[in-house]
């Protein structure tokens, strides 16, 4: 890290000594320390020493409306003064909790009308699995419990959500829930398709899912969980037709379809909810977080279909309780912020903004594929991944000591852009306020940073 002011040094020392970071890299953390972010304004953030950066990752795929929004601040203040919190257990509720659930029902596909709240994406996925298990128990099908997930899928970090996550490297030295989750191939054409055409690769993936259901026994499989575009796994876009075909296979075997839209909802792909609007499927369960509040407050939501609700809401004679709930589920202040956030997304036409600027963004980013270490630029709209390779022909990655994406991240940071390096992929997922100027700056900085990295490493053209 470069020279720090005394104030930054003080924060950094406390940070280093007392704070265990999310996904801490203990190889570098203790020596290199952290960037202390102190302020945000629209799609810019400032560190504690006043250096300005374009926020190319919207915090962590979440600050969709941009930083420093005054309407949200005002809403928070008003709701906090009125009623920040009351529980929503049993017979208690609040206006924001009810209003938000109603708003979400109006945005989601037709049959998804019922919302259960939590505080983030992992918790929302946990709830999805618990609710589905409960549903099948209520239906008298107690064996229907297994979950099919995909390699490279990311679904969170609680015990259960971590087990749903198919990124094997994240599992190292942790325990997982045993015998629950089964993984199928990631729809990762760049590395998995081989000589197959897109259609052949899609057919292979769909058949593999069907075979997995049959192997486990349809009576034992509860659900399939999938992000419409895999995010943290490397911004992987499934082949054309994949969503519809996998959804149909699930319906055929009464396997419920969970669409994890923690990243893709609320405008990142130019739509509020992408499963239906972009990919034409109606999941049984929809998982939301991040863009739901644009990261201004922790909140997540698990939406379930009318069919599921009808079953789980039947009172039982022995014990009438649906015994699943969190102190902060349906938090009044969080729900009020989410409602205001959705109002802002709609009022400022941010989905339209994404659709308007995406073609120019993509044209500029795709051109990076001409550079000798860029294997593929992929994604959709404001969700991009750049995969780096040491050899374009074999698609071999750089040795881990080269740390290519971390190098590029550092070069971008020096030039005033934050992106996110994960393994061999750099991720860009900016606030939806990104305009032509921000796009041009991003393309320019990324290109110059890659060129700077090329100077430092050995490249097979
Ligand atoms: N699902 C997806 C698709 C995600 O990308 C994430 C987080 O990045 C999660 C779930 C977990 O959300 P959280 O970190 O809020 O628990």
């Amino acid at each position: 890290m470069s020279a720090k002011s005394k104030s930054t040094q003080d924060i950094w020392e406390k940070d280093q000594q007392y704070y265990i970071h999310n996904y801490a890299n203990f190889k570098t953390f203790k020596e290199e320390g952290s960037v202390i972010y102190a302020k945000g304004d629209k799609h810019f953030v400032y560190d504690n020493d006043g250096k300005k950066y374009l926020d190319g990752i919207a915090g962590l795929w979440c600050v969709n409306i941009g930083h420093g929004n005054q309407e949200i601040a005002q809403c928070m203040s008003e709701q906090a003064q009125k009623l920040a919190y009351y529980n929503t257990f049993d017979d208690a509720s609040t206006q924001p909790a009810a209003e938000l659930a109603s708003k979400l029902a109006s945005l989601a596909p037709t049959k998804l009308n019922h919302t259960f709240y939590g505080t983030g994406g992992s918790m929302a996925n946990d709830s999805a699995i618990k609710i589905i298990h409960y549903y099948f128990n209520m239906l008298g099908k107690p064996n229907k419990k297994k979950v099919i997930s995909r390699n490279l899928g990311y679904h969170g970090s609680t015990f259960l959500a971590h087990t749903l996550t198919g990124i094997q490297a994240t599992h190292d030295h942790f325990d997982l829930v045993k015998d629950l989750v089964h993984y199928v191939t990631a729809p990762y054409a760049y590395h998995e398709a081989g000589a197959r055409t897109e259609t052949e690769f899609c057919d292979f993936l769909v058949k593999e899912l069907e075979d997995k259901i049959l192997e486990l026994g349809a009576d034992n499989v509860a659900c399939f969980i999938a992000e419409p575009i895999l995010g943290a796994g490397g911004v992987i876009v499934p082949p054309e037709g994949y969503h519809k075909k996998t959804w149909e296979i699930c319906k055929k075997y009464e396997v419920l379809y969970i669409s994890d839209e923690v990243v893709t909802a609320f405008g990142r792909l130019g739509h509020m909810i992408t499963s239906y609007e972009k990919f034409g499927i109606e999941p049984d369960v929809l998982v939301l977080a991040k863009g739901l509040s644009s990261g201004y407050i922790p909140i997540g939501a698990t939406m379930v279909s009318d069919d599921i609700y009808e079953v789980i809401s039947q009172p039982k004679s022995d014990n009438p309780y649906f015994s699943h709930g969190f102190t902060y589920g349906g938090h009044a202040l969080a729900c009020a912020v989410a409602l205001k956030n959705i109002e802002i997304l709609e009022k400022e036409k941010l989905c339209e903004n994404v659709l308007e600027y995406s073609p120019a963004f993509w044209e500029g980013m795709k051109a990076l594929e001409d550079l000798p270490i860029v294997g593929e630029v992929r994604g959709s709209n404001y969700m991009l991944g750049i995969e780096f390779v040491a050899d374009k022909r074999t698609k071999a990655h750089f040795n881990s000591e080269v740390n290519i994406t971390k190098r590029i991240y550092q070069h971008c940071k020096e030039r005033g852009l934050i992106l996110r390096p994960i393994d061999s992929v750099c991720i860009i997922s900016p606030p939806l306020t990104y305009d032509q100027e921000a796009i041009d700056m991003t393309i320019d900085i990324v290109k110059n940073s890659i060129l700077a990295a090329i100077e430092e490493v050995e490249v097979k053209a």
Side-chain angles (χ1 to χ4, degrees):
M1 245 187 131
S2 53
K4 294 183 279 284
S5 65
K6 181 162 180 328
S7 137
T8 304
Q9 185 69 33
D10 283 351
I11 298 170
W12 184 69
E13 276 166 19
K14 288 177 188 133
D15 190 62
Q16 190 222 34
Q17 218 172 333
Y18 300 110
Y19 180 33
I20 304 173
H21 285 209
N22 300 291
Y23 275 81
N25 177 347
F26 283 122
K27 203 167 170 186
T28 53
F29 174 63
K30 291 179 185 170
E31 286 78 40
E32 294 178 14
S34 316
V35 186
I36 310 294
Y37 293 101
K39 208 175 87 171
D41 178 15
K42 220 171 160 191
H43 37 259
F44 293 98
V45 282
Y46 298 79
D47 70 19
N48 196 55
D49 296 318
K51 182 169 163 67
K52 183 178 179 181
Y53 307 88
L54 258 175
D55 182 7
I57 56 168
L60 193 64
W61 339 73
C62 52
V63 188
N64 288 10
I65 62 166
H67 297 278
N69 189 289
Q70 291 305 305
E71 279 185 76
I72 294 273
Q74 178 82 15
C75 161
M76 278 178 159
S77 163
E78 282 169 12
Q79 186 63 44
Q81 290 175 61
K82 206 154 100 190
L83 181 71
Y85 173 75
Y86 208 82
N87 82 70
T88 59
F89 277 53
D90 196 5
D91 72 346
S93 195
T94 65
Q95 187 182 2
E99 296 276 3
L100 178 61
S102 154
K103 180 70 190 176
L104 292 175
S106 76
L107 294 175
T110 9
K111 287 177 80 181
L112 283 162
N113 289 313
H114 311 275
T115 294
F116 182 86
Y117 296 113
T119 56
S122 306
M123 194 188 264
N125 277 323
D126 267 39
S127 289
I129 303 298
K130 280 188 71 181
I131 291 171
I132 288 172
H133 283 177
Y134 183 88
Y135 163 81
F136 282 122
N137 289 340
M138 293 284 280
L139 276 185
K141 298 181 177 180
N143 292 333
K144 232 170 147 46
K145 291 288 152 61
K146 293 189 189 294
V147 182
I148 301 179
S149 182
R150 299 172 303 178
N151 292 331
L152 297 179
Y154 186 79
H155 301 292
S157 223
T158 56
F159 195 15
L160 182 49
H162 198 178
T163 309
L164 298 172
T165 291
I167 304 175
Q168 301 305 323
T170 71
H171 295 169
D172 280 355
H173 312 296
F174 282 102
D175 286 354
L176 302 177
V177 181
K178 285 209 168 56
D179 300 327
L180 180 71
V181 182
H182 300 261
Y183 310 93
V184 290
T185 306
Y188 191 3
Y190 185 62
H191 283 286
E192 301 281 357
R196 288 175 285 216
T197 62
E198 185 175 6
T199 311
E200 287 166 349
F201 183 50
C202 184
D203 291 346
F204 158 78
L205 295 166
V206 174
K207 180 164 184 321
E208 189 197 25
L209 175 63
E210 183 163 20
D211 288 348
K212 181 59 81 179
I213 294 170
L214 294 172
E215 176 198 321
L216 297 167
D219 290 347
N220 301 318
V221 182
C223 56
F224 173 59
I225 182 165
E227 302 153 84
I229 291 180
L230 290 83
V235 187
I236 296 164
V237 187
E240 185 74 33
Y242 171 89
H243 298 87
K244 265 236 164 94
K245 286 182 180 161
T246 47
W247 177 56
E248 274 157 10
I249 289 292
C250 288
K251 278 201 292 190
K252 181 171 165 191
Y253 295 102
E254 203 195 4
V255 168
L256 300 183
Y257 191 109
I258 306 173
S259 187
D260 180 346
E261 289 224 33
V262 165
V263 167
T264 53
F266 301 107
R268 183 146 304 288
L269 302 184
H271 301 280
M272 282 300 208
I273 308 292
T274 65
S275 306
Y276 188 67
E277 292 172 62
K278 194 172 169 76
F279 297 114
I281 63 167
E282 283 200 54
D284 301 288
V285 177
L286 181 65
V287 174
L288 305 168
K290 294 194 190 269
L292 171 57
S293 67
S294 283
Y296 277 82
I297 202 153
I299 182 169
T302 308
M303 297 190 72
V304 302
S305 67
D306 294 338
D307 293 344
I308 295 176
Y309 182 73
E310 200 171 305
V311 172
I312 65 169
S313 63
Q314 293 302 320
K316 296 157 281 148
S317 52
D318 49 344
N319 170 4
Y321 287 101
F322 171 70
S323 302
H324 179 60
F326 308 104
T327 300
Y328 295 135
H331 192 283
L333 180 53
C335 291
V337 168
L339 266 174
K340 179 59 76 180
N341 170 62
I342 295 170
E343 186 188 314
I344 293 167
L345 282 165
E346 290 179 335
K347 192 174 62 181
E348 298 189 358
K349 298 193 184 320
L350 290 175
C351 286
E352 289 84 341
N353 195 66
V354 169
L355 294 175
E356 182 184 340
Y357 288 114
S358 290
F361 203 0
W362 273 91
E363 197 186 325
M365 294 303 291
K366 262 299 197 194
L368 299 175
E369 285 182 351
D370 292 340
L371 299 175
I373 62 170
V374 176
E376 187 176 48
V377 177
R378 55 175 179 260
S380 181
N381 303 98
Y382 278 23
M383 182 174 181
L384 297 97
I386 310 167
E387 180 163 340
F388 293 93
V389 289
D391 184 336
K392 279 199 173 193
R393 197 181 50 81
T394 63
K395 301 180 183 175
H397 291 142
F398 284 91
N399 289 333
S400 56
E401 305 86 71
V402 174
N403 227 336
I404 189 70
T405 52
K406 188 80 187 281
R407 269 174 201 277
I408 289 161
Y409 158 76
Q410 293 291 6
H411 282 297
C412 285
K413 202 163 64 149
E414 276 163 29
R415 291 165 171 78
L417 168 72
I418 305 297
L419 46 67
R420 184 162 169 73
I422 304 183
D423 296 328
S424 298
V425 179
C426 280
I427 286 167
I428 301 181
S429 60
L432 312 186
T433 54
Y434 241 46
D435 52 15
Q436 193 59 53
E437 193 187 358
I439 288 169
D440 291 343
M441 281 168 72
T442 300
I443 294 167
D444 195 49
I445 293 176
V446 173
K447 184 172 181 186
N448 288 325
S449 299
I450 297 172
L451 291 172
I454 290 172
E455 301 259 294
E456 298 164 356
V457 300
E458 203 181 313
V459 177
K460 257 197 196 140

